Amino acid sequence: ETGVTQTPRHLVMGMTNKKSLKCEQHLGHNAMYWYKQSAKKPLELMFVYSLEERVENNSVPSRFSPECPNSSHLFLHLHTLQPEDSALYLCASSLRSQFNEKLFFGSGTQLSVL
Amino acid sequence: QQQVKQSPQSLIVQKGGISIINCAYENTAFDYFPWYQQFPGKGPALLIAIRPDVSEKKEGRFTISFNKSAKQFSLHIMDSQPGDSATYFCAATLGTDGLTFGKGTHLIIQP
């Protein structure tokens, strides 16, 4: 295990639902990331938190709302998603001294939007 | 637009052979070039990385070759094993900006 745990592993939701993805890291890291992985496309950075402050929002639609209550936990709140949002959502963490370099990824949440 | 172009999309290599995956980048300001390995059902894991001040880095059977003038870098897997079968992603970053990933190479090592 990488020390980064994501729940749930799989999620099916309707377009009108509200759900949340959870990420927890046990590595003592102080930077956390959300990435989106779609088939045939590069991993896309969505959000970055450093010391619990959001430092990057990569032009992500407002139907995705991140939350970082402390350096060990990261959430991605979802509402009124579209079918094209179906993808694997990956959480990652790193030390701030290795910002955007040595990332440790969780196993992801496979999201299907119906 | 910052891009990292990766090839081939898929690769089949016989056990014991050399697997080679190539990447090209556009932004000459990139200063860190990692390779990530991803097995089915798992997230990517950092495999090996290089900075542009060296032309080669080797860790066990894995080697990165870096050509700064051509803006290219490649991953070589020597003595490829079935356990190396995975998807490999190259990436690049400025450090302050997020990683820019390639689209990935699906590698199959045939026994």
Side-chain angles (χ1 to χ4, degrees):
Chain A
E1 296 300 323
T2 64
V4 180
T5 302
Q6 290 188 243
T7 55
R9 290 297 307 274
H10 298 88
L11 179 62
V12 179
M13 58 187 291
M15 294 170 60
T16 58
N17 292 157
K18 291 183 180 181
K19 297 287 184 182
S20 296
L21 310 185
K22 179 183 176 182
C23 176
E24 183 174 2
Q25 59 93 4
H26 305 278
L27 301 169
H29 289 166
N30 45 22
M32 297 189 78
Y33 313 73
W34 279 116
Y35 276 87
K36 177 183 179 181
Q37 186 173 29
S38 306
K40 309 293 186 184
K41 294 179 69 175
L43 276 77
E44 301 171 61
L45 178 65
M46 301 177 71
F47 303 103
V48 183
Y49 280 82
S50 176
L51 296 176
E52 300 151 42
E53 178 183 346
R54 189 190 308 180
V55 296
E56 187 159 347
N57 176 348
N58 219 20
S59 301
V60 178
S62 59
R63 57 186 183 268
F64 295 91
S65 175
E67 178 189 2
C68 187
N70 54 63
S71 60
S72 297
H73 294 87
L74 185 66
F75 295 89
L76 188 62
H77 304 299
L78 317 171
H79 65 98
T80 60
L81 293 190
Q82 304 299 310
E84 60 265 28
D85 296 322
S86 298
L88 181 68
Y89 288 85
L90 291 161
C91 171
S93 70
S94 75
L95 289 171
R96 203 160 165 268
S97 58
Q98 296 175 317
F99 194 61
N100 283 321
E101 294 189 355
K102 191 171 184 178
L103 270 61
F104 289 75
F105 283 88
S107 295
T109 294
Q110 186 66 53
L111 174 66
S112 297
V113 181
L114 304 179
Chain B
Q1 183 178 4
Q2 297 183 357
Q3 282 189 333
V4 176
K5 295 182 180 179
Q6 183 173 346
S7 63
Q9 187 174 357
S10 59
L11 180 62
I12 300 174
V13 174
Q14 295 297 313
K15 178 183 175 182
I18 303 173
S19 302
I20 302 175
I21 305 171
N22 300 299
C23 283
Y25 62 97
E26 298 175 355
N27 189 340
T28 56
F30 284 143
D31 61 0
Y32 181 77
F33 301 87
W35 285 89
Y36 280 79
Q37 178 189 55
Q38 185 176 25
F39 293 106
K42 300 293 186 181
L46 180 63
L47 185 63
I48 187 173
I50 197 168
R51 296 196 184 275
D53 54 343
V54 296
S55 61
E56 186 176 282
K57 183 174 182 180
K58 183 176 181 180
E59 291 185 1
R61 297 184 294 109
F62 300 91
T63 300
I64 299 178
S65 296
F66 187 82
N67 186 330
K68 190 174 182 178
S69 60
K71 294 188 290 184
Q72 295 176 344
F73 59 109
S74 60
L75 176 70
H76 293 64
I77 306 174
M78 312 300 289
D79 187 26
S80 299
Q81 299 297 312
D84 297 329
S85 298
T87 301
Y88 292 82
F89 296 92
C90 63
T93 183
L94 290 171
T96 54
D97 292 344
L99 284 164
T100 299
F101 282 89
K103 290 186 177 182
T105 296
H106 183 51
L107 174 65
I108 297 173
I109 307 300
Q110 289 187 334

